[in-house]
Amino acid sequence: MDQFIELFMVSPLLLAGLFFIAMLAGFIDALAGGGGLLTVPALLAAGMSPAQALATNKLQACGGSLSASIYFIRRKVVSLADQKLNILMTFIGSTSGALLVQHVQSDVLRQICRSS
């Protein structure tokens, strides 16, 4: 058991709780979006720094966005060629946000995450 905690740095009970919260958040995301409203507070409660919690949440959201994008591109609902500017702007915005969040103090980020 000690080796498990050393490897994952969390208890098995906490890991199981986070897993089920992630499953529920994924279900909510599939229906209407907004699963991050569950995952970010759960990750903060588990002891992650705000920047890590936000990064983990955004990485999780990339999977859903990628699968939805592939779905619509394959069915010719969206033309990838027409979306070049949108893709560029998304990349610029996400890169800027990732760089900026690293310079905000953790206490300020915790307050922002709690109030939203």
Side-chain angles (χ1 to χ4, degrees), residues 1 5 9 12-13 16 19 22-23 25 28-29 34 37 39 47 52 54 72-73 81 84 98 100 104 108 115:
M1 184 63 84
I5 292 174
M9 293 191 242
L13 183 62
F19 174 78
M23 294 294 287
I28 291 171
D29 267 341
L37 294 172
T39 56
Q52 289 173 327
L54 291 171
F72 288 118
I73 291 168
K84 288 180 182 174
L100 288 173
V104 178
V108 174
S115 64

mmCIF file of all heavy atoms in Angstrom, residues 1 5 9 12-13 16 19 22-23 25 28-29 34 37 39 47 52 54 72-73 81 84 98 100 104 108 115:
data_model
loop_
_atom_site.group_PDB
_atom_site.id
_atom_site.type_symbol
_atom_site.label_atom_id
_atom_site.label_comp_id
_atom_site.label_asym_id
_atom_site.label_seq_id
_atom_site.Cartn_x
_atom_site.Cartn_y
_atom_site.Cartn_z
ATOM 1 N N MET A 1 0.825 -1.198 0.000
ATOM 2 C CA MET A 1 0.000 0.000 0.000
ATOM 3 C C MET A 1 0.869 1.262 0.000
ATOM 4 O O MET A 1 0.547 2.227 -0.675
ATOM 5 C CB MET A 1 -0.937 -0.017 1.204
ATOM 6 C CG MET A 1 -1.892 1.155 1.212
ATOM 7 S SD MET A 1 -3.035 1.222 -0.163
ATOM 8 C CE MET A 1 -4.297 0.155 0.410
ATOM 9 N N ILE A 5 0.936 4.547 -2.721
ATOM 10 C CA ILE A 5 0.835 5.963 -2.362
ATOM 11 C C ILE A 5 2.075 6.724 -2.833
ATOM 12 O O ILE A 5 1.978 7.847 -3.313
ATOM 13 C CB ILE A 5 0.598 6.124 -0.851
ATOM 14 C CG1 ILE A 5 -0.798 5.584 -0.500
ATOM 15 C CG2 ILE A 5 0.729 7.578 -0.420
ATOM 16 C CD1 ILE A 5 -1.110 5.556 0.972
ATOM 17 N N MET A 9 1.126 9.268 -5.286
ATOM 18 C CA MET A 9 1.119 10.400 -4.368
ATOM 19 C C MET A 9 -0.265 10.730 -3.814
ATOM 20 O O MET A 9 -0.498 11.832 -3.337
ATOM 21 C CB MET A 9 1.736 11.641 -5.015
ATOM 22 C CG MET A 9 3.194 11.505 -5.294
ATOM 23 S SD MET A 9 3.924 13.060 -5.737
ATOM 24 C CE MET A 9 4.475 12.718 -7.385
ATOM 25 N N PRO A 12 -5.525 5.409 -2.396
ATOM 26 C CA PRO A 12 -6.425 4.731 -3.340
ATOM 27 C C PRO A 12 -7.859 5.254 -3.258
ATOM 28 O O PRO A 12 -8.546 5.350 -4.269
ATOM 29 C CB PRO A 12 -6.346 3.265 -2.927
ATOM 30 C CG PRO A 12 -5.052 3.130 -2.203
ATOM 31 C CD PRO A 12 -4.804 4.457 -1.555
ATOM 32 N N LEU A 13 -8.309 5.611 -2.053
ATOM 33 C CA LEU A 13 -9.670 6.132 -1.889
ATOM 34 C C LEU A 13 -9.830 7.469 -2.616
ATOM 35 O O LEU A 13 -10.829 7.694 -3.318
ATOM 36 C CB LEU A 13 -9.997 6.276 -0.407
ATOM 37 C CG LEU A 13 -11.403 6.753 -0.079
ATOM 38 C CD1 LEU A 13 -12.438 5.757 -0.597
ATOM 39 C CD2 LEU A 13 -11.565 6.946 1.416
ATOM 40 N N ALA A 16 -9.882 6.829 -6.354
ATOM 41 C CA ALA A 16 -11.184 6.306 -6.769
ATOM 42 C C ALA A 16 -12.230 7.420 -6.813
ATOM 43 O O ALA A 16 -13.041 7.495 -7.741
ATOM 44 C CB ALA A 16 -11.629 5.194 -5.825
ATOM 45 N N PHE A 19 -11.647 9.501 -9.825
ATOM 46 C CA PHE A 19 -12.051 8.759 -11.018
ATOM 47 C C PHE A 19 -13.557 8.888 -11.245
ATOM 48 O O PHE A 19 -14.008 9.180 -12.355
ATOM 49 C CB PHE A 19 -11.661 7.283 -10.877
ATOM 50 C CG PHE A 19 -12.169 6.421 -11.993
ATOM 51 C CD1 PHE A 19 -11.538 6.416 -13.227
ATOM 52 C CD2 PHE A 19 -13.289 5.624 -11.812
ATOM 53 C CE1 PHE A 19 -12.013 5.624 -14.264
ATOM 54 C CE2 PHE A 19 -13.768 4.830 -12.841
ATOM 55 C CZ PHE A 19 -13.129 4.830 -14.073
ATOM 56 N N ALA A 22 -14.515 12.334 -12.321
ATOM 57 C CA ALA A 22 -14.149 12.530 -13.734
ATOM 58 C C ALA A 22 -15.161 11.846 -14.652
ATOM 59 O O ALA A 22 -15.510 12.386 -15.709
ATOM 60 C CB ALA A 22 -12.747 12.003 -13.990
ATOM 61 N N MET A 23 -15.631 10.667 -14.269
ATOM 62 C CA MET A 23 -16.635 9.973 -15.083
ATOM 63 C C MET A 23 -17.938 10.779 -15.139
ATOM 64 O O MET A 23 -18.532 10.944 -16.207
ATOM 65 C CB MET A 23 -16.909 8.576 -14.508
ATOM 66 C CG MET A 23 -15.729 7.632 -14.604
ATOM 67 S SD MET A 23 -15.290 7.209 -16.277
ATOM 68 C CE MET A 23 -16.625 6.132 -16.688
ATOM 69 N N ALA A 25 -18.234 14.008 -14.636
ATOM 70 C CA ALA A 25 -17.952 15.234 -15.382
ATOM 71 C C ALA A 25 -17.946 14.955 -16.884
ATOM 72 O O ALA A 25 -18.445 15.768 -17.670
ATOM 73 C CB ALA A 25 -16.621 15.822 -14.945
ATOM 74 N N ILE A 28 -21.531 14.696 -17.999
ATOM 75 C CA ILE A 28 -22.139 16.028 -18.072
ATOM 76 C C ILE A 28 -21.613 16.783 -19.289
ATOM 77 O O ILE A 28 -22.380 17.451 -19.997
ATOM 78 C CB ILE A 28 -21.885 16.814 -16.769
ATOM 79 C CG1 ILE A 28 -22.682 16.179 -15.632
ATOM 80 C CG2 ILE A 28 -22.231 18.282 -16.925
ATOM 81 C CD1 ILE A 28 -22.336 16.723 -14.270
ATOM 82 N N ASP A 29 -20.312 16.678 -19.553
ATOM 83 C CA ASP A 29 -19.729 17.324 -20.733
ATOM 84 C C ASP A 29 -20.362 16.816 -22.017
ATOM 85 O O ASP A 29 -20.615 17.579 -22.944
ATOM 86 C CB ASP A 29 -18.220 17.089 -20.797
ATOM 87 C CG ASP A 29 -17.427 18.208 -20.144
ATOM 88 O OD1 ASP A 29 -17.985 19.309 -19.966
ATOM 89 O OD2 ASP A 29 -16.259 17.974 -19.816
ATOM 90 N N GLY A 34 -19.616 21.718 -19.362
ATOM 91 C CA GLY A 34 -19.528 22.222 -17.997
ATOM 92 C C GLY A 34 -19.019 21.223 -16.983
ATOM 93 O O GLY A 34 -19.135 21.445 -15.775
ATOM 94 N N LEU A 37 -16.755 22.245 -14.020
ATOM 95 C CA LEU A 37 -17.297 22.776 -12.768
ATOM 96 C C LEU A 37 -17.235 21.734 -11.658
ATOM 97 O O LEU A 37 -17.307 22.075 -10.479
ATOM 98 C CB LEU A 37 -18.735 23.248 -12.976
ATOM 99 C CG LEU A 37 -18.891 24.445 -13.915
ATOM 100 C CD1 LEU A 37 -20.368 24.711 -14.200
ATOM 101 C CD2 LEU A 37 -18.233 25.672 -13.332
ATOM 102 N N THR A 39 -14.712 18.972 -11.967
ATOM 103 C CA THR A 39 -13.339 18.483 -11.865
ATOM 104 C C THR A 39 -12.387 19.486 -11.217
ATOM 105 O O THR A 39 -11.540 19.078 -10.423
ATOM 106 C CB THR A 39 -12.786 18.077 -13.247
ATOM 107 O OG1 THR A 39 -12.879 19.171 -14.144
ATOM 108 C CG2 THR A 39 -13.520 16.877 -13.796
ATOM 109 N N GLY A 47 -5.684 18.622 -3.406
ATOM 110 C CA GLY A 47 -4.392 19.189 -3.060
ATOM 111 C C GLY A 47 -3.568 19.685 -4.230
ATOM 112 O O GLY A 47 -2.417 20.085 -4.048
ATOM 113 N N GLN A 52 -2.139 23.582 -11.796
ATOM 114 C CA GLN A 52 -2.188 22.169 -12.178
ATOM 115 C C GLN A 52 -3.625 21.706 -12.397
ATOM 116 O O GLN A 52 -3.903 20.939 -13.316
ATOM 117 C CB GLN A 52 -1.531 21.297 -11.116
ATOM 118 C CG GLN A 52 -0.041 21.433 -11.047
ATOM 119 C CD GLN A 52 0.539 20.667 -9.872
ATOM 120 O OE1 GLN A 52 -0.084 20.550 -8.820
ATOM 121 N NE2 GLN A 52 1.747 20.154 -10.053
ATOM 122 N N LEU A 54 -6.225 23.544 -13.314
ATOM 123 C CA LEU A 54 -6.717 24.118 -14.567
ATOM 124 C C LEU A 54 -6.101 23.422 -15.773
ATOM 125 O O LEU A 54 -6.782 23.140 -16.758
ATOM 126 C CB LEU A 54 -6.423 25.619 -14.609
ATOM 127 C CG LEU A 54 -7.226 26.480 -13.634
ATOM 128 C CD1 LEU A 54 -6.684 27.902 -13.617
ATOM 129 C CD2 LEU A 54 -8.694 26.464 -13.967
ATOM 130 N N PHE A 72 -17.239 15.759 -36.800
ATOM 131 C CA PHE A 72 -17.841 16.723 -37.726
ATOM 132 C C PHE A 72 -17.056 16.840 -39.031
ATOM 133 O O PHE A 72 -17.644 17.050 -40.093
ATOM 134 C CB PHE A 72 -17.991 18.086 -37.062
ATOM 135 C CG PHE A 72 -19.082 18.118 -36.026
ATOM 136 C CD1 PHE A 72 -18.787 18.393 -34.706
ATOM 137 C CD2 PHE A 72 -20.393 17.853 -36.370
ATOM 138 C CE1 PHE A 72 -19.790 18.413 -33.740
ATOM 139 C CE2 PHE A 72 -21.406 17.868 -35.429
ATOM 140 C CZ PHE A 72 -21.105 18.146 -34.107
ATOM 141 N N ILE A 73 -15.739 16.705 -38.962
ATOM 142 C CA ILE A 73 -14.929 16.770 -40.192
ATOM 143 C C ILE A 73 -15.206 15.563 -41.068
ATOM 144 O O ILE A 73 -15.359 15.694 -42.284
ATOM 145 C CB ILE A 73 -13.428 16.893 -39.844
ATOM 146 C CG1 ILE A 73 -13.145 18.265 -39.238
ATOM 147 C CG2 ILE A 73 -12.561 16.658 -41.071
ATOM 148 C CD1 ILE A 73 -11.767 18.400 -38.602
ATOM 149 N N ALA A 81 -10.429 23.318 -43.999
ATOM 150 C CA ALA A 81 -9.758 24.421 -44.695
ATOM 151 C C ALA A 81 -10.352 25.774 -44.312
ATOM 152 O O ALA A 81 -9.639 26.779 -44.216
ATOM 153 C CB ALA A 81 -9.851 24.212 -46.203
ATOM 154 N N LYS A 84 -9.002 27.476 -40.652
ATOM 155 C CA LYS A 84 -7.585 27.766 -40.384
ATOM 156 C C LYS A 84 -7.396 28.961 -39.453
ATOM 157 O O LYS A 84 -6.607 28.914 -38.518
ATOM 158 C CB LYS A 84 -6.822 27.971 -41.684
ATOM 159 C CG LYS A 84 -6.625 26.686 -42.453
ATOM 160 C CD LYS A 84 -5.877 26.931 -43.738
ATOM 161 C CE LYS A 84 -5.750 25.620 -44.514
ATOM 162 N NZ LYS A 84 -5.174 25.812 -45.822
ATOM 163 N N ALA A 98 -2.091 29.775 -21.036
ATOM 164 C CA ALA A 98 -1.209 28.859 -20.306
ATOM 165 C C ALA A 98 0.009 29.588 -19.749
ATOM 166 O O ALA A 98 0.457 29.314 -18.632
ATOM 167 C CB ALA A 98 -0.764 27.728 -21.219
ATOM 168 N N LEU A 100 0.156 32.914 -19.079
ATOM 169 C CA LEU A 100 -0.280 33.894 -18.083
ATOM 170 C C LEU A 100 -0.645 33.257 -16.751
ATOM 171 O O LEU A 100 -0.344 33.814 -15.694
ATOM 172 C CB LEU A 100 -1.470 34.691 -18.618
ATOM 173 C CG LEU A 100 -1.152 35.700 -19.711
ATOM 174 C CD1 LEU A 100 -2.433 36.309 -20.272
ATOM 175 C CD2 LEU A 100 -0.245 36.794 -19.175
ATOM 176 N N VAL A 104 0.331 34.052 -12.246
ATOM 177 C CA VAL A 104 -0.649 34.504 -11.259
ATOM 178 C C VAL A 104 -0.406 33.727 -9.969
ATOM 179 O O VAL A 104 -0.178 32.515 -9.994
ATOM 180 C CB VAL A 104 -2.089 34.269 -11.769
ATOM 181 C CG1 VAL A 104 -3.113 34.688 -10.736
ATOM 182 C CG2 VAL A 104 -2.312 35.026 -13.066
ATOM 183 N N VAL A 108 -4.511 33.853 -5.516
ATOM 184 C CA VAL A 108 -5.451 34.574 -6.379
ATOM 185 C C VAL A 108 -6.229 33.587 -7.240
ATOM 186 O O VAL A 108 -7.445 33.693 -7.390
ATOM 187 C CB VAL A 108 -4.698 35.608 -7.254
ATOM 188 C CG1 VAL A 108 -5.629 36.248 -8.260
ATOM 189 C CG2 VAL A 108 -4.022 36.648 -6.384
ATOM 190 N N SER A 115 -14.852 31.225 -6.728
ATOM 191 C CA SER A 115 -15.980 32.126 -6.970
ATOM 192 C C SER A 115 -16.703 31.809 -8.273
ATOM 193 O O SER A 115 -17.797 32.283 -8.500
ATOM 194 C CB SER A 115 -15.497 33.574 -6.996
ATOM 195 O OG SER A 115 -14.607 33.779 -8.083
#
